[in-house]
């Protein structure tokens, strides 16, 4: 539900030409799925005080995460998430559209992997409605 809500809000932000706000919602939605993938792979929730994509990616790599996913997440972190978090950063409508595609790609990869992990390592299968989030 939180992923769907953030995508809904991102869409509204894009509609009303608030691209930076849309970017925050897209990255929040992606992080929600990163946290779910983390749990599916490791069997535990990531600690809330360590809401750090670098830390997530490090643990995912150590636990044998799909390299395609960790490389994609690293790309998102370095080229989109970290730069956007700076107060002086503004995101153009074109950049927000690119980020939309990048986030959908990351979520798609993780959703498929979560489904594959299923009952392994404490993971819960993702249902079709969740995949479209």
């Amino acid at each position: 539900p939180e992923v769907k809500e953030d995508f809904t809000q991102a869409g509204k932000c894009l509609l009303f030409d608030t691209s930076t706000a849309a970017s925050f919602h897209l990255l929040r939605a992606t992080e929600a799925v990163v946290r779910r993938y983390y749990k599916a792979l490791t069997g535990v929730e990531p600690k809330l005080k360590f809401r750090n994509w670098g830390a997530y990616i490090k643990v995912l790599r150590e636990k044998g995460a799909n390299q395609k996913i960790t490389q994609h997440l690293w790309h998102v972190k370095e080229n989109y998430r970290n730069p956007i978090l700076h107060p002086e950063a503004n995101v153009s409508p074109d950049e927000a559209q690119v980020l939309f595609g990048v986030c959908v790609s990351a979520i798609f990869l993780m959703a498929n992997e979560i489904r594959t992990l299923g009952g392994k390592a404490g993971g819960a299968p993702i249902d079709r409605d969740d995949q479209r989030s």
Side-chain angles (χ1 to χ4, degrees), residues 37 61 64-76 105-106 108-110 112-113:
Y37 178 50
R61 286 178 174 157
N66 182 320
Q67 187 177 16
K68 185 186 270 189
I69 293 172
T70 57
Q71 287 176 342
H72 193 63
L73 292 175
W74 187 262
H75 172 75
V76 173
S105 177
F108 178 81
L109 290 170
M110 289 184 288
N112 281 336
E113 192 74 10

Side-chain angles (χ1 to χ4, degrees), residues 7-80:
F7 265 91
T8 297
Q9 293 303 319
K12 290 177 184 177
C13 292
L14 289 172
L15 178 66
F16 291 107
D17 202 25
T18 54
S19 303
T20 303
S23 299
F24 277 99
H25 285 290
L26 293 167
L27 291 166
R28 280 173 37 134
T30 305
E31 183 167 343
V33 180
V34 169
R35 293 175 60 77
R36 187 157 178 196
Y37 178 50
Y38 185 107
K39 183 177 181 184
L41 188 65
T42 67
V44 297
E45 297 274 348
K47 292 181 172 54
L48 285 176
K49 66 179 181 175
F50 294 113
R51 291 195 130 174
N52 174 315
W53 283 37
Y56 295 155
I57 294 165
K58 180 179 184 235
V59 171
L60 291 171
R61 286 178 174 157
E62 289 170 357
K63 296 295 183 177
N66 182 320
Q67 187 177 16
K68 185 186 270 189
I69 293 172
T70 57
Q71 287 176 342
H72 193 63
L73 292 175
W74 187 262
H75 172 75
V76 173
K77 174 183 113 41
E78 290 296 312
N79 295 291
Y80 300 97

